[in-house]
Amino acid sequence: MSPSIRHFDGLQDYQQTIEAMQANAAAIRNDGADETLWMLEHDAVYTGGTSAKDTELLAPGQVPTHLTGRGGEWTYHGPGQRVVYVMLDLNRRTPDVRKFVHDLEGWIIDTIGEFGITGQRRDGLPGIWVHTGRSVSGLDKIAAIGVRISRWVTWHGIAINLNPDLAAFDAIVPCGVRDGGVTSFADLGVNATMADLDAALTKTFSAHF
């Protein structure tokens, strides 16, 4: 089963996109609409999931903040970061939340591996990490995962750092993790375009879903 893929041009408003995604997920759930992946970049925004703590939103400045229904804590979205909203009907696949998150992680690991980047999981911390040796743990996060599942239809999804402004993450405790930093393709010295990343995401998807 291969979902359709929709690419959005330009920077997308967060709240408007979430509302459209919620409606699309409802159509999958209620009307049997096709599964889909949305690939886009957001205007700069800090988003807090269901576990977000006020004390971990440190200094957002003029960047908007939104509390949202996905799992997880605070993260940053902005130019240079590929966000993929994943709308799948797990009733048509395997209705298992842990497997879904594990498969998202495997998808990201294989995708960044196409560019020679070795990603890894951290137990209890959804997302993908790269060994840089710079932080307390020695690991910096290159991709975040925050999902919501409504009657086995998934929405929200993943965010992979291609070349965003990493200083923007200093305004939060990213995903509530204090012993690891944040990295990106560009930070690791990997030159790739967003189109290159999208092609790799498309190529590796079917191995996991």
Side-chain angles (χ1 to χ4, degrees):
M1 292 180 286
S2 298
S4 63
I5 299 175
R6 179 180 175 187
H7 290 86
F8 290 70
D9 294 328
L11 300 178
Q12 304 300 308
D13 176 80
Y14 183 77
Q15 188 60 39
Q16 291 179 2
T17 305
I18 295 302
E19 290 171 0
M21 175 174 52
Q22 184 174 13
N24 196 78
I28 295 171
R29 183 172 57 251
N30 299 326
D31 305 323
D34 291 340
E35 298 176 314
T36 187
L37 307 178
W38 286 2
M39 297 187 178
L40 54 93
E41 291 174 83
H42 277 303
D43 286 315
V45 62
Y46 294 109
T47 73
T50 54
S51 300
K53 302 176 180 66
D54 290 344
T55 55
E56 294 180 345
L57 181 63
L58 305 177
Q62 300 302 308
V63 177
T65 63
H66 286 274
L67 292 175
T68 189
R70 62 162 173 77
E73 302 184 43
W74 288 104
T75 195
Y76 168 78
H77 296 314
Q81 181 190 73
R82 175 51 90 218
V83 172
V84 185
Y85 288 130
V86 181
M87 286 163 275
L88 303 179
D89 186 350
L90 297 187
N91 278 312
R92 308 178 197 175
R93 297 171 177 270
T94 303
D96 184 323
V97 175
R98 289 185 179 180
K99 181 181 186 305
F100 175 62
V101 173
H102 190 269
D103 289 345
L104 287 175
E105 291 174 334
W107 180 32
I108 297 167
I109 289 171
D110 282 358
T111 295
I112 66 176
E114 293 285 309
F115 302 90
I117 300 171
T118 301
Q120 66 184 74
R121 298 175 174 91
R122 291 186 69 183
D123 188 38
L125 297 173
I128 297 303
W129 303 77
V130 176
H131 190 274
T132 64
R134 296 185 301 209
S135 56
V136 173
S137 67
L139 298 170
D140 289 342
K141 182 176 264 192
I142 196 167
I145 295 175
V147 299
R148 184 168 179 175
I149 300 176
S150 303
R151 286 163 44 198
W152 294 115
V153 172
T154 70
W155 47 306
H156 294 274
I158 67 173
I160 301 176
N161 296 330
L162 186 67
N163 57 354
D165 177 10
L166 294 182
F169 289 93
D170 294 340
I172 57 175
V173 179
C175 302
V177 179
R178 296 180 181 272
D179 68 348
V182 181
T183 190
S184 67
F185 279 48
D187 183 48
L188 297 171
V190 176
N191 293 317
T193 66
M194 199 66 78
D196 294 333
L197 179 54
D198 289 349
L201 284 161
T202 302
K203 174 183 176 181
T204 57
F205 182 84
S206 62
H208 301 277
F209 297 97

